[in-house]
Amino acid sequence: MPDHSPSPNHHPATRIIHNRRHRDQQGSPYSPVYNTTTYRFDTTAEQLAVVKGENDGNLYTRWGTNPTIKELEQGLAQLESAQAGLAFASGMAAISATLFAHGRNGIVCAGDLYGGTQELLMNHFEPLGIPFTFLLNQQLDELEQHLTKPGMLVYCETPANPTMAILDIADLARRAHAKGALLAVDNTFASPINQRPLELGADLVMHSATKYLAGHSDLTAGAFMSSAELAKPVAAWRKSLGQILAPEMAALLSRSLRTLHVRVRQHNENAMAVAIAMEKHPKVSRVLYPGLPDFPGHQLARQQMHGFGGMLSIDVIGGGKAAETVEDHLQVFLLATSLGGVESLVSQPIATSHYRLTPEDRAQRGISDGLLRLSVGLEDAGDLIADLEQALDSLGE
Ligand SMILES: *Cc1c(COP(=O)(O)O)cnc(C)c1O
C-alpha cells in the first residue's frame, strides 16, 4: 500500500506538500487540527514515561507537544535541511529564545540587523549583563578579535535590510567555528527556497514566519531550525517563556508552506523584472537587488542563493521628500511595513525601520534619505512596474 509519506529523495516542494506524521484515519490527505492543550493517558505509568522523556508522546501544548505543531515542525526542518524545527508565536520569540539559549557567553552581530533584534539586545540583554557587539559590514575583518572565548555566538542576516547587502555565510561559519563559536542566521529575507544557511555551514537558523513562510500577511509566527542537539536548549527556553504558537496558527502556517516554493519563485521573478525596469528610470539613482549583475554582492549571492528574493530597494533622485512623493503616489503598492506577503508593499527606511538612527549611522550603513524598500508581491509584474513608473513620473522633470 503506498503511504505517500515524504521521502528524503524527493525535492523539498514534493516533501512539503506531502508532509504529515500520520496517515489520516478518515482518508483526508491532510491531518486534522488538534485544538488541544492537554492529552489523556490510560495509565499513570504511560504518563510518567512521557514526563520522564522516555516516550515521545503529547503532554501539554505549551511544551510544543501537540500533533499539529509537531507536524509543522517536521515540515520546517525539511525546508532548511535540518534535523529539528521549532515553531514559535513570532519571529522575535524564535530569535529571543535562540539568543537566550546560545548567546549567553557573548554575541557578535555581523552587519545590519532587524530593528527588533537590536532592541532586544540593547534594551534587554545589556541590563542582564549579556555581552554583545555590533560590527558594520566594513568591520567584518575584526570578527576574530571579538571572539575572545569559546562558546560565543556570531549572528547575522543576509540579504540585510534595507540595503540587501550579502554576507558570505560559509566564510562566517568557518571563522566562527575556528574560534569555537556558533553561527546563527536570520534567514527571513531569503526564505529557505532561496537560501539554506545550514547547508552552507551555519549552525542555527531563525525565521520570522510572519513573512514569506506564511506569505499572506495574515498570521504572526516564528521558526527555528538546527541539529537535534542545538535545538534542545532553545526548546527549553520556549517552554519556560511560553512562546509556543496556537495549533490553529500552526495549521494555517502548514497550509502556507505547501505553496512556498511557487510563491517564492514568482516573488523572485517579479522582483527581478521590477529591478530591471527601475534601473532604467531617470529618477532612480541606485537599485539595490542581489540579482542585478552590477550589485556588489551579486557573485556571492549567485554562489550561496538559489534565487535572489522578492526584496529590493531603490534610491530616488531628490532625496527624502522625493521618495515620500513617490510613496504617496503609488496605487498598487501598499504603504506598510513588513514583507513577504502576496501583496506588494513599500516603506521608506528613514521614516520606519531606521527612523531612530542618526544621519551618521545611516550613512555608514548606506541608508540614504531617498531609499524606498519594496517587498515585491505576486501581482502582475507589468502592473507593478507601471505603478512605480507613474509614481516616479509624478516628480516631473
Ligand atoms: C519581521 C522580522 C523579524 C521579526 O519577526 P516577527 O514575526 O515580527 O516577530 C525578524 N527578523 C527579520 C529579518 C524580520 O523581517
Side-chain angles (χ1 to χ4, degrees):
M1 182 173 70
D3 72 349
H4 304 287
S5 55
S7 153
N9 301 327
H10 286 153
H11 189 275
T14 312
R15 288 207 303 263
I16 204 73
I17 286 174
H18 293 283
N19 178 50
R20 78 182 63 79
R21 293 172 71 244
H22 305 288
R23 192 182 170 89
D24 182 60
Q25 294 297 317
Q26 304 296 324
S28 161
Y30 301 111
S31 307
V33 183
Y34 288 88
N35 272 325
T36 328
T37 59
T38 193
Y39 307 87
R40 56 163 281 248
F41 293 86
D42 287 333
T43 66
T44 312
E46 277 179 31
Q47 189 180 39
L48 189 61
V50 175
V51 172
K52 283 181 175 171
E54 292 166 1
N55 219 334
D56 152 51
N58 300 311
L59 199 67
Y60 188 58
T61 288
R62 175 170 52 79
W63 297 26
T65 57
N66 168 290
T68 306
I69 294 170
K70 283 188 188 168
E71 186 166 287
L72 165 65
E73 292 180 338
Q74 176 178 296
L76 291 170
Q78 285 174 4
L79 282 172
E80 286 282 4
S81 307
Q83 285 175 345
L86 294 172
F88 283 85
S90 71
M92 284 314 302
I95 290 167
S96 55
T98 304
L99 294 180
F100 275 124
H102 292 292
R104 276 172 299 163
N105 293 327
I107 304 160
V108 183
C109 302
D112 282 314
L113 295 192
Y114 177 69
T117 308
Q118 292 179 42
E119 259 172 49
L120 172 70
L121 292 170
M122 294 190 301
N123 299 351
H124 305 293
F125 274 48
E126 175 114 59
L128 291 174
I130 301 170
F132 59 87
T133 327
F134 292 113
L135 293 180
L136 293 167
N137 283 345
Q138 50 271 36
Q139 298 173 315
L140 290 189
D141 50 352
E142 298 168 21
L143 179 69
E144 282 79 3
Q145 289 164 235
H146 297 276
L147 296 172
T148 48
K149 56 181 180 199
M152 289 179 69
L153 184 68
V154 179
Y155 186 98
C156 74
E157 291 173 20
T158 175
N161 183 32
T163 57
M164 310 304 142
I166 305 290
L167 296 183
D168 188 335
I169 295 173
D171 180 60
L172 284 174
R174 264 193 305 274
R175 291 167 65 191
H177 295 161
K179 290 284 188 178
L182 295 176
L183 175 65
V185 180
D186 178 339
N187 201 28
T188 301
F189 266 46
S191 91
I193 303 300
N194 286 334
Q195 178 171 277
R196 290 184 287 282
L198 300 178
E199 291 177 359
L200 298 165
D203 305 285
L204 317 170
V205 168
M206 289 86 41
H207 282 272
S208 170
T210 312
K211 315 294 169 51
Y212 288 104
L213 298 184
H216 296 71
S217 306
D218 60 357
L219 76 92
T220 302
F224 167 90
M225 296 87 159
S226 72
S227 67
E229 199 54 36
L230 292 174
K232 277 184 199 158
V234 179
W237 273 99
R238 178 183 69 176
K239 178 180 164 196
S240 293
L241 293 175
Q243 298 171 303
I244 200 70
L245 84 170
E248 284 166 299
M249 290 301 120
L252 202 50
L253 184 51
S254 282
R255 189 183 68 170
S256 285
L257 294 184
R258 293 180 195 125
T259 57
L260 181 66
H261 190 73
V262 271
R263 283 188 286 109
V264 168
R265 232 171 24 202
Q266 195 62 43
H267 281 291
N268 292 345
E269 198 178 297
N270 282 5
M272 184 61 123
V274 168
I276 290 169
M278 287 301 97
E279 269 203 318
K280 296 188 188 121
H281 201 282
K283 292 290 179 192
V284 174
S285 61
R286 290 193 296 169
V287 179
L288 303 175
Y289 185 62
L292 294 175
D294 57 356
F295 181 75
H298 177 69
Q299 278 311 324
L300 195 50
R302 287 191 82 89
Q303 282 166 34
Q304 71 182 15
M305 299 180 81
H306 307 282
F308 300 115
M311 298 299 297
L312 64 108
S313 291
I314 60 172
D315 208 343
V316 179
I317 289 173
K321 271 282 159 224
E324 211 179 304
T325 304
V326 172
E327 194 168 58
D328 292 346
H329 276 80
L330 287 165
Q331 305 287 327
V332 179
F333 280 81
L334 305 179
L335 201 170
T337 61
S338 198
L339 60 120
V342 293
E343 68 293 318
S344 293
L345 304 179
V346 60
S347 70
Q348 189 180 16
I350 66 157
T352 52
S353 52
H354 296 74
Y355 174 70
R356 281 174 213 293
L357 291 190
T358 63
E360 296 73 44
D361 278 344
R362 288 177 193 154
Q364 277 186 319
R365 289 174 167 76
I367 301 163
S368 49
D369 291 0
L371 215 59
L372 287 179
R373 189 190 81 173
L374 308 178
S375 171
V376 180
L378 302 184
E379 301 93 335
D380 176 71
D383 288 339
L384 295 176
I385 292 166
D387 190 36
L388 286 161
E389 285 175 347
Q390 65 78 24
L392 287 159
D393 292 345
S394 76
L395 293 170
E397 287 310 307

